[in-house]
Amino acid sequence: RLLSYAAKMQGTDEATLTGNIAAMAQLGLSQLGNAEFTAETVGAVTAFLREPKSITLSLAPAKPVQMQELMTIDPAKPSAAIDLLGVHVKAND
């Protein structure tokens, strides 16, 4: 219902609004420098907007991560944190 309401407020339809949200997510996430994560997240957001059941953000690092490892990540390279922490986004699973 929220998408319908938001689309009406913007003078558009739900399909157009959903496409715009996906495009904005693509633009925002592309700045992280991790194409795989961006594609996964945009796909999950799009799937969720089409059929809103669930959206899940998970952290599944390949090995335990020590606090010192997190503190040494270059802030200019956020994709390193995504990879280190094994961040994934899924929808409707």
Side-chain angles (χ1 to χ4, degrees):
R1 289 193 261 175
L2 182 61
L3 281 177
S4 176
Y5 177 74
K8 189 174 183 178
M9 293 294 292
Q10 293 184 15
T12 189
D13 58 40
E14 284 186 51
T16 302
L17 180 62
T18 300
N20 289 342
I21 292 170
M24 287 186 294
Q26 178 81 34
L27 283 172
L29 292 169
S30 67
Q31 295 182 22
L32 297 176
N34 190 319
E36 184 179 314
F37 177 74
T38 297
E40 178 182 303
T41 303
V42 170
V45 167
T46 301
F48 177 77
L49 291 173
R50 287 187 183 141
E51 189 177 346
K53 292 183 179 178
S54 67
I55 191 156
T56 306
L57 171 70
S58 64
L59 303 176
K63 62 180 182 70
V65 178
Q66 304 219 353
M67 185 59 74
Q68 184 175 1
E69 290 177 273
L70 289 174
M71 295 175 69
T72 60
I73 293 174
D74 183 353
K77 297 179 182 175
S79 66
I82 292 168
D83 292 337
L84 178 66
L85 297 172
V87 180
H88 294 282
V89 181
K90 296 181 181 178
N92 306 329
D93 52 336

